[in-house]
């Protein structure tokens, strides 16, 4: 019924389908009831039953082949686990101060980031390893060697390499998990102070429970979700830093419960008032909280007070001022920070998945080849042992050394990244996915602390005809000093001065408006108190608010918005200083040192919906009541009086990337304010539509305000953000900005950083709440030509609920997407949806604790070490210190890691394919015998001592220089296509391997049948060394050393392992065998060299044109023409 109500077209369609079904039913009814009609009906019913059975069988087959049975089994196991575990659903609760609720069990307040326990370590690691076909295949092959009928060689031939791989994996996982355990133990062991009746006891973080009363000192992290009961600040408030929760570095103001702060003399009295708090059930939303506090005061008065987000202290936030006393209401897994953090999953690179697929194809080829040889020999006798023996003989088609080489290569890439002096202090925390850096197609980035430094700087003040910028601020400062002569508490305007009277008044009113219209509080640390004069009242607080401001020491300003701090700092720089702020008053120091006091009558905080904030003040001296307001130019244009210059100046500042605010004021009479206050209080007490009624009353004031000024504030960007974003965009990477900041802030930064180009159309998604509004906005977005999309977290939630697929389709086609007011859950969900819908590699970059979920959900997570701490850096796969380092990390190290692993993996496969081809020819020539061509010791030496060094030296290969990779980011686009490791290159290497193996074995018949092992093995190794040389694109001294070392070791081993070559070593024999091997090498390699020279001359890769003439770069033999575009 809900679907039909939401979509009337669907209702109409369903009616039409029902009518058609009724018509079909009447068609099935025979018109004549005779035997022919009965026969026709019976045959028709039988045919319908047959079709239904066929469809059912097809569905069952598809369900089985597509892995539906896996999903069903997992769902069943999940259901059984839930029934066993009996997980308690979260619910609302009543928490009494210091009195745990009997019979109720809440989560332990512990931090646990470990992946394994003592019991699950070994099984879980082994499962993670053997769920890959490659490792599982080697395990089965190794197990078969315990059966004498299937044994090909010594057990160590198969178990030694497999054991080495498992030992390295187990050691690495154990080391990483032990480090996580030590970090968790340190976090759980942090000491806090717990209040009990008439006593104070120390308590560990892990021992804190619901109903405990905890004392939190300044700069101490909040251990659990709490209600703020008391604080040492006189006004009952304190600041908290929430950067590790929501990514915003601005301090948030939190207010203690009034009855506990104002009515009690000391903290111990909390246990005498029978206090309790009803709180809602735990949920993820960090911006909302609902509760009620009840208590019986010492005067026997029963009091109930509402609790909101202003009374809440979330876990992982930090007390920034004073000392706080809080009542624990949520612990452990029920805290907001944990609910917004996902469990980290093991990441598997795209290259690893592609290689896993190729190994399955090779296994199918191995099985097919074994079946063919077994069929030729005949399915008689002990064929059931012959077939497995053939499979074992050809097991080198899928060499176990592939996994070893790739893992060691990843370690080399990690070492190269961490020692790159151009990106200092870069740390690789996940060495399993460096190749993913070269395949990224979508980049999700945070804003605060990632793209910006979150440091606002005041740039411009526009008063209409007069514009003040950095160059003219000194003039403004001198003018204000002249405006306030000594001992004058009001401005002394000069009628006949150089500045017009109207402009003098506007300057004074504008600066005053910016100095008082905000929620900023000036603070001074206790450590600085000895430097102050006796004018400061010291009552023991750790953070002191000024009562008088005769001192000239600077203040630290704290507020929920860095814009307001920038404005107040600017007014301080021109001589008008905020020196004291309480909940109901503030004091301003004028340029001449006089103090003006104001009473705060009403405060209207900034909201994303209204895009403005206001304040009503009364001058304590003149008793004048003034309503100040500032906000976005889009809304203030309808509130202030009409002006010819407002829109033009705002557009000019926006083009410069400045964040604009428009300020205005209105003088209120005593009668006007009293009437407003009466209506305002009535609206606040209303039980229905309270928010709408309050907004209506406030809007009655917001009319015909005097326009004062327009301000331009710049949010300073990180170093080289603009060129880095341009580099990534030219590389074909689509960039999405996911931030918890306001829409206006996010839009401003997107424009100033050039994330959205100046000529790019922008579609700002309106706030939507239902199905119809969603489709209306999506239709509007679809009509625009390739616009950048800006959307809020709430609108995103509604869209995903009603039109997820359509939204993702349009968003993925947009060049830039900006999601603002995003919670950590929103960020994680966006990354997951992007991976699901595009199937493309994603990368997430962030620097705060709120970015951890996003970083862990992406294919590649990159954390920045910055002002917001190390939480994102520790949870990421790669840690960098500047956003600008991202360009080199992707364009250069990502490119090299991917192309080197592609070359290395395909060459290791070639190494196994060529020897398996020789083994197949040997078996065919010798009457389909299932015997090995070479002894086991030579087979192990072939993949390790003899060829390991030359093949592994490919990890130092480079196809372009670092300068070229960064100067031509368009080269990165071809990496996204995956052409370096594709089915085309895979088939090419198979054909080369078959040809070379056949050439070596076929050419052997040109000589005598003596010393076949020596001649073919020597030709095989020399062919491998030459193929490595032909594959290399840039020679490194280690590559040359590896070639010389391997050749030397082989010829030296001829004298030590002569019995395995079935010869008596002498120089004459070696000489005759060597020239025969050289002929075989020429036969296997010369045609390929000729093809290489011809191809290099006729169709060279485009990137070779970017190389200097004297460069060591050249086209390798088997590199496909990857770089074919008309113009870089």
């Amino acid at each position: 019924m809900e679907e039909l109500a939401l979509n009337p077209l669907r209702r109409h369609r369903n009616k039409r389908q029902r009518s058609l079904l009724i018509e079909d039913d009447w068609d099935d009814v025979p018109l004549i009831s005779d035997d022919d009609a009965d026969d026709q009906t019976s045959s028709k019913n039988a045919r319908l039953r047959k079709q239904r059975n066929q469809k059912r069988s097809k569905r069952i087959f598809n369900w089985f082949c597509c892995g539906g049975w896996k999903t069903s089994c997992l769902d069943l196991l999940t259901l059984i686990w839930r029934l066993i575990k009996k997980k308690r659903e979260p619910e609302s609760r009543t928490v009494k101060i210091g009195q745990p609720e009997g019979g109720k069990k809440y989560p332990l307040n512990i931090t646990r980031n470990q992946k394994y326990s003592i019991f699950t370590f070994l099984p879980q690691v082994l499962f993670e390893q053997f769920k890959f076909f490659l490792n599982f295949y080697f395990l089965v092959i190794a197990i078969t060697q315990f059966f004498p009928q299937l044994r090909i060689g010594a057990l160590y031939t198969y178990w030694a390499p497999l054991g080495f791989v498992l030992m390295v994996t187990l050691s690495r996982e154990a080391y990483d998990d032990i480090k996580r355990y030590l970090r968790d133990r340190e976090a759980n062991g942090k000491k806090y102070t717990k209040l009990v009746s008439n006593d104070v006891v120390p308590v560990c973080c892990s021992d804190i429970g619901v109903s405990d009363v905890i004392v939190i000192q300044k700069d101490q992290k909040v251990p659990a979700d709490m209600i703020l009961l008391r604080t040492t600040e006189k006004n009952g408030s304190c600041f908290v830093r929430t950067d590790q929760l929501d990514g915003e570095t601005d301090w948030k103001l939190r207010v203690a419960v009034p009855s506990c702060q104002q009515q009690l003399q000391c903290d111990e009295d909390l246990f005498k008032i029978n206090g309790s708090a009803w709180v809602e059930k735990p949920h993820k939303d960090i911006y909302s909280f609902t509760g009620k506090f009840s208590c019986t005061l010492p005067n026997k008065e029963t009091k109930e007070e509402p609790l909101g987000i202003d009374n809440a202290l979330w876990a992982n936030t930090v007390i920034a001022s004073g000392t706080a006393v809080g009542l624990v209401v949520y612990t452990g897994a029920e805290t907001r920070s944990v609910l917004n953090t996902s469990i980290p999953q093991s990441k598997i690179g795209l290259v690893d998945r592609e290689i896993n697929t190729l190994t399955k194809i090779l296994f199918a080829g191995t099985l097919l080849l074994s079946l063919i040889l077994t069929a030729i020999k005949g399915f008689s006798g002990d064929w059931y042992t012959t077939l497995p023996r053939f499979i074992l003989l050809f097991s080198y088609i899928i060499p176990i050394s592939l996994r070893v080489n790739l893992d060691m290569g990843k370690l080399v890439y990690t070492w190269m990244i961490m020692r790159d002096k151009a990106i200092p202090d870069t740390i690789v925390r996940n060495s399993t996915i460096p190749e993913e850096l070269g395949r990224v197609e979508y980049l999700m980035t945070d804003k605060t602390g990632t793209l910006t430094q979150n440091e606002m700087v005041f740039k411009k003040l526009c008063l209409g005809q007069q514009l003040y910028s950095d160059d003219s601020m000194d003039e403004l400062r001198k003018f204000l000093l002249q405006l306030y002569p000594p001992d004058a508490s009001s401005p002394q305007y000069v009628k006949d001065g150089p500045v017009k009277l109207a402009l003098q008044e506007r300057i004074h009113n504008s600066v005053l408006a910016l100095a008082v219209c905000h929620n900023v509080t000036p603070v001074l640390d206790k450590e600085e108190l000895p430097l102050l004069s006796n004018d400061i009242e010291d009552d023991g607080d750790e953070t002191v608010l000024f009562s008088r401001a005769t001192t000239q020491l600077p203040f630290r300003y704290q507020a929920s918005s860095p814009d307001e701090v920038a404005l107040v700092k600017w007014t301080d720089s021109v001589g008008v200083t905020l020196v004291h702020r309480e909940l109901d008053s503030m004091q301003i120091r004028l340029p001449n040192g006089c103090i003006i006091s104001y009473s705060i009558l009403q405060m209207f905080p900034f909201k994303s919906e209204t895009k403005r904030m206001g304040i009503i003040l009364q001058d304590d001296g003149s008793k004048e009541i003034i309503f100040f307001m500032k906000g976005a130019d889009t809304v203030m244009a309808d509130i202030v009086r009409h002006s010819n210059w407002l829109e033009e100046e705002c557009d000019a500042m926006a083009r410069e990337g400045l964040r604009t605010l428009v300020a205005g004021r209105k003088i209120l009479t005593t009668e006007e304010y009293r009437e407003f206050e009466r209506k305002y209080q009535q609206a606040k007490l209303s039980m229905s539509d309270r928010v709408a009624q309050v907004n209506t009353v406030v809007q009655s004031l917001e009319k015909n305000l005097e326009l004062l000024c327009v301000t331009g504030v710049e949010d300073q960007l990180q170093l080289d953000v603009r060129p880095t974003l341009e580099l990534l965009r030219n590389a074909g990477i689509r960039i999405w900005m996911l931030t918890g900041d306001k829409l206006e802030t996010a839009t401003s930064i997107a424009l100033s950083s050039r994330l959205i180009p100046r000529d790019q159309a922008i579609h700002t998604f309106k706030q939507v709440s239902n199905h119809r509004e969603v489709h209306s906005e999506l239709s509007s977005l679809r009509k625009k030509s390739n616009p950048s999309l800006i959307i809020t977290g709430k609108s995103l939630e509604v869209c995903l609920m009603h039109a997820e697929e359509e939204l993702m389709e349009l968003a993925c086609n947009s060049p830039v997407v900006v999601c603002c007011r995003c919670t950590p859950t929103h960020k994680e969900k966006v990354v997951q949806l992007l991976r699901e819908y595009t199937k493309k590699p994603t990368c997430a970059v962030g620097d705060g604790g709120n970015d951890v979920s996003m970083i862990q959900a992406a294919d590649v997570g990159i954390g920045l070490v910055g002002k917001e701490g190390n939480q994102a850096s520790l949870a990421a796969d790669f840690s960098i210190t500047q956003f600008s380092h991202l360009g080199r990390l992707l364009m250069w190290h990502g490119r090299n890691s991917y192309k080197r692993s592609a070359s290395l993996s395909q060459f290791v496969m070639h190494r196994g394919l060529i020897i398996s081809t020789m083994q197949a020819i040997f078996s065919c020539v010798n009457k389909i015998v299932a015997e090995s061509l070479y002894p086991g010791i030579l087979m192990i030496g072939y993949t390790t001592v003899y060829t390991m060094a030359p093949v592994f030296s490919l990890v130092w290969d480079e196809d372009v220089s670092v300068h070229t990779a960064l100067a031509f980011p368009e080269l990165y686009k071809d990496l996204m296509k995956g052409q370096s490791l594709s089915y085309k290159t895979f088939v090419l290497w198979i054909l080369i391997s078959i040809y070379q193996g056949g050439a070596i074995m076929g050419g052997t018949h040109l000589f005598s049948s003596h010393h076949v092992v020596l001649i073919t093995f020597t030709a095989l190794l020399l062919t491998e060394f030459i193929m490595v040389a032909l594959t290399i694109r840039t020679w490194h001294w280690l590559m040359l050393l590896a070639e010389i070392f391997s050749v030397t070791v082989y010829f030296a081993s001829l004298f030590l392992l002569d019995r395995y070559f079935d010869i008596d070593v002498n120089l004459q024999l070696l000489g005759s065998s060597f020239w025969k091997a050289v002929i075989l090498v020429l036969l296997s390699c010369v045609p390929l060299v000729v093809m290489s020279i011809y191809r290099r001359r006729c169709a060279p890769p485009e990137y070779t044109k970017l190389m200097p003439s004297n460069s060591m770069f050249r086209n390798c033999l088997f590199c496909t023409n990857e770089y074919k575009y008309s113009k870089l």
Side-chain angles (χ1 to χ4, degrees), residues 209-333:
V210 174
S211 77
D212 287 348
V213 180
I214 305 298
V215 180
I216 310 171
Q217 306 294 335
K218 181 188 175 184
D219 293 329
Q220 198 172 20
K221 184 177 290 188
V222 179
D225 288 356
M226 302 179 176
I227 296 172
L228 180 59
L229 299 180
R230 290 176 58 83
T231 176
T232 55
E233 300 290 346
K234 292 188 301 183
N235 56 6
S237 64
C238 71
F239 284 102
V240 295
R241 297 198 298 267
T242 63
D243 48 279
Q244 294 299 319
L245 185 65
D246 58 13
E248 298 183 14
T249 55
D250 316 317
W251 292 7
K252 306 297 189 300
L253 186 68
R254 293 294 181 258
V255 181
V257 177
S259 56
C260 297
Q261 178 71 26
Q262 300 170 4
Q263 304 293 328
L264 304 181
Q265 299 298 323
C266 60
D267 296 339
E268 288 73 15
D269 291 345
L270 291 170
F271 299 93
K272 302 176 182 179
I273 60 175
N274 194 25
S276 64
W278 176 90
V279 293
E280 61 184 347
K281 66 179 182 180
H283 57 78
K284 294 183 177 181
D285 192 353
I286 61 177
Y287 299 111
S288 68
F289 173 70
T290 302
K292 182 177 65 175
F293 186 82
S294 304
C295 66
T296 303
L297 297 176
N299 58 6
K300 306 303 181 182
E301 177 186 358
T302 302
K303 199 164 188 177
E304 291 186 353
E305 295 171 302
L307 299 176
I309 187 65
D310 291 339
N311 308 114
L313 299 175
W314 299 141
N316 278 345
T317 59
V318 178
I319 301 298
S321 65
T323 300
V325 178
L327 173 65
V328 178
V329 292
Y330 306 122
T331 55

Side-chain angles (χ1 to χ4, degrees), residues 470-683:
D470 292 336
D471 299 334
S472 54
M473 289 301 175
D474 289 336
E475 299 179 9
L476 181 60
R477 188 179 299 106
K478 293 178 181 178
F479 170 75
L480 289 173
L481 190 58
Q482 296 173 1
L483 199 61
Y484 291 95
D487 300 328
S489 59
S490 60
Q492 306 296 315
Y493 300 118
V494 181
K495 294 184 178 180
D496 299 327
V499 181
K500 294 182 179 180
L501 182 59
L503 182 58
Q504 295 179 41
E505 295 178 354
R506 176 166 290 182
I507 292 174
H508 166 259
N509 293 331
S510 298
V511 175
L512 183 61
L514 299 178
V516 298
C517 186
H518 50 69
N519 64 350
V520 180
T521 301
V523 296
L524 186 69
D525 289 339
K526 189 175 182 178
E527 288 79 2
E528 299 180 17
L529 289 179
L531 303 176
L532 302 180
S533 64
N534 295 329
D535 295 322
I536 307 301
E537 297 180 1
D538 184 3
D539 59 356
D541 294 347
E542 291 190 5
T543 302
V544 179
L545 304 181
F546 281 81
S547 60
R548 294 194 308 276
T550 57
T551 177
Q552 297 298 320
L553 287 179
F555 296 91
R556 283 195 305 110
Y557 295 106
Q558 297 300 337
S560 59
S561 170
D563 300 75
E564 294 193 332
V565 173
L567 295 177
V568 174
K569 283 184 177 179
W570 176 79
T571 61
D572 183 19
S573 68
V574 296
V576 181
T577 306
L578 173 69
V579 295
H580 177 62
R581 175 75 180 258
E582 292 186 353
L583 294 177
D584 56 356
S585 65
M586 70 170 64
Q587 292 180 342
I588 302 296
R589 184 178 64 207
L590 299 176
N592 59 4
C594 293
I595 301 298
I596 302 179
S597 299
Y598 291 96
S599 297
I600 303 176
L601 303 181
Q602 299 292 344
M603 183 77 179
F604 313 114
F606 182 91
K607 296 180 181 178
S608 297
E609 296 79 10
T610 60
K611 300 180 182 179
R612 57 188 181 272
M613 67 88 59
I615 188 171
I616 301 179
L617 302 175
Q618 185 176 35
D619 190 327
D620 291 346
S622 63
K623 303 301 181 182
E624 183 181 37
I625 299 176
I626 312 173
F627 173 43
F628 291 103
M629 173 168 282
K630 70 173 186 287
D633 57 296
T634 53
V635 296
M636 292 296 291
D638 298 327
I639 296 176
V640 299
R641 300 167 191 167
H642 176 71
S643 173
N644 296 326
W645 56 269
L646 177 60
E647 183 178 357
E648 180 181 353
E649 293 296 335
C650 289
D651 291 342
M653 290 186 184
R655 284 192 295 270
E656 297 178 19
L658 301 180
R659 302 166 64 166
T660 58
L661 284 175
V662 178
R665 74 163 193 165
K666 185 178 185 180
I667 305 298
L668 301 178
T669 63
T670 304
E671 291 74 16
E672 287 175 338
Y673 174 72
R674 288 177 179 174
E675 179 64 19
F676 165 79
E677 186 182 26
R678 182 184 63 80
K679 294 180 180 179
Y680 189 64
Q681 292 300 327
Q682 289 179 353

Side-chain angles (χ1 to χ4, degrees), residues 98 126 348 676 716 819 1091:
L126 293 178
I348 303 169
F676 165 79
Q716 292 187 328
C819 297
M1091 290 174 55

Side-chain angles (χ1 to χ4, degrees), residues 90-379:
E91 57 185 12
S92 60
R93 64 195 66 174
T94 299
V95 181
K96 296 182 179 179
I97 296 179
Q99 301 179 26
E101 191 173 356
K104 292 286 186 178
K105 292 185 178 181
Y106 299 109
L108 297 177
N109 195 52
I110 59 175
T111 299
R112 190 179 190 280
N113 294 309
Q114 292 175 258
K115 293 173 61 177
Y116 315 104
S117 66
I118 296 177
F119 303 103
T120 64
F121 173 72
L122 190 61
Q124 193 169 344
V125 173
L126 293 178
F127 172 77
E128 291 292 336
Q129 288 301 306
F130 291 122
K131 73 178 181 181
F132 289 104
F133 177 80
L134 181 64
N135 294 344
F136 182 73
Y137 171 77
F138 293 138
L139 177 64
V140 174
I141 293 297
I143 291 175
T144 60
Q145 296 306 290
F146 287 111
F147 301 94
Q149 301 88 345
L150 302 178
R151 182 174 296 176
I152 299 297
L155 286 176
Y156 64 80
T157 305
Y158 294 92
W159 279 102
L162 182 62
F164 174 76
V165 173
L166 292 179
M167 187 59 63
V168 170
T169 302
L170 288 170
S171 302
R172 183 180 61 191
E173 291 294 326
Y175 175 73
D176 291 341
D177 214 48
I178 289 174
K179 289 199 301 183
R180 285 189 286 265
Y181 165 75
L182 294 177
R183 288 198 299 265
D184 292 344
R185 188 175 68 174
E186 181 182 358
N188 294 326
K190 287 185 177 179
K191 296 294 184 179
Y192 289 87
T193 302
K194 176 181 175 181
L195 286 181
V196 295
S197 182
N198 299 323
D199 199 3
V200 176
V201 296
V203 62
C204 291
C205 178
S206 57
D207 296 330
I208 293 175
V210 174
S211 77
D212 287 348
V213 180
I214 305 298
V215 180
I216 310 171
Q217 306 294 335
K218 181 188 175 184
D219 293 329
Q220 198 172 20
K221 184 177 290 188
V222 179
D225 288 356
M226 302 179 176
I227 296 172
L228 180 59
L229 299 180
R230 290 176 58 83
T231 176
T232 55
E233 300 290 346
K234 292 188 301 183
N235 56 6
S237 64
C238 71
F239 284 102
V240 295
R241 297 198 298 267
T242 63
D243 48 279
Q244 294 299 319
L245 185 65
D246 58 13
E248 298 183 14
T249 55
D250 316 317
W251 292 7
K252 306 297 189 300
L253 186 68
R254 293 294 181 258
V255 181
V257 177
S259 56
C260 297
Q261 178 71 26
Q262 300 170 4
Q263 304 293 328
L264 304 181
Q265 299 298 323
C266 60
D267 296 339
E268 288 73 15
D269 291 345
L270 291 170
F271 299 93
K272 302 176 182 179
I273 60 175
N274 194 25
S276 64
W278 176 90
V279 293
E280 61 184 347
K281 66 179 182 180
H283 57 78
K284 294 183 177 181
D285 192 353
I286 61 177
Y287 299 111
S288 68
F289 173 70
T290 302
K292 182 177 65 175
F293 186 82
S294 304
C295 66
T296 303
L297 297 176
N299 58 6
K300 306 303 181 182
E301 177 186 358
T302 302
K303 199 164 188 177
E304 291 186 353
E305 295 171 302
L307 299 176
I309 187 65
D310 291 339
N311 308 114
L313 299 175
W314 299 141
N316 278 345
T317 59
V318 178
I319 301 298
S321 65
T323 300
V325 178
L327 173 65
V328 178
V329 292
Y330 306 122
T331 55
E334 292 182 342
T335 59
R336 293 295 201 272
S337 60
V338 175
L339 289 174
N340 281 281
T341 303
S342 60
I343 300 175
Q345 302 294 329
S346 299
K347 294 184 179 181
I348 303 169
L350 181 58
V351 171
D352 292 329
R353 295 197 296 269
E354 291 172 344
I355 292 175
N356 197 45
T357 302
L358 296 180
T359 55
K360 294 178 182 178
I361 298 175
L362 291 176
F363 173 74
T366 303
L367 186 61
L368 179 61
L369 180 59
S370 302
L371 284 171
I372 292 174
L373 293 179
T374 304
I376 293 175
K377 187 174 184 180
F379 291 98

Side-chain angles (χ1 to χ4, degrees), residues 385-421:
T385 59
T386 303
L387 177 62
R389 285 181 65 85
F390 274 125
I391 294 176
L392 292 172
L393 282 174
F394 300 137
S395 63
Y396 280 90
I397 291 178
I398 314 175
I400 192 172
S401 58
L402 175 61
R403 187 75 266 159
V404 178
N405 279 272
L406 287 176
D407 287 344
M408 292 178 62
K410 294 174 189 290
L411 295 178
V412 173
Y413 309 150
T414 298
W415 176 76
M416 290 180 175
I417 292 173
M418 295 178 65
R419 69 182 296 269
D420 190 346
K421 295 180 180 179

Side-chain angles (χ1 to χ4, degrees), residues 47 130 161 301 319 562 693 804 1118:
R47 189 167 61 253
F130 291 122
E301 177 186 358
I319 301 298
Q693 292 190 37
E804 178 180 297
F1118 309 107

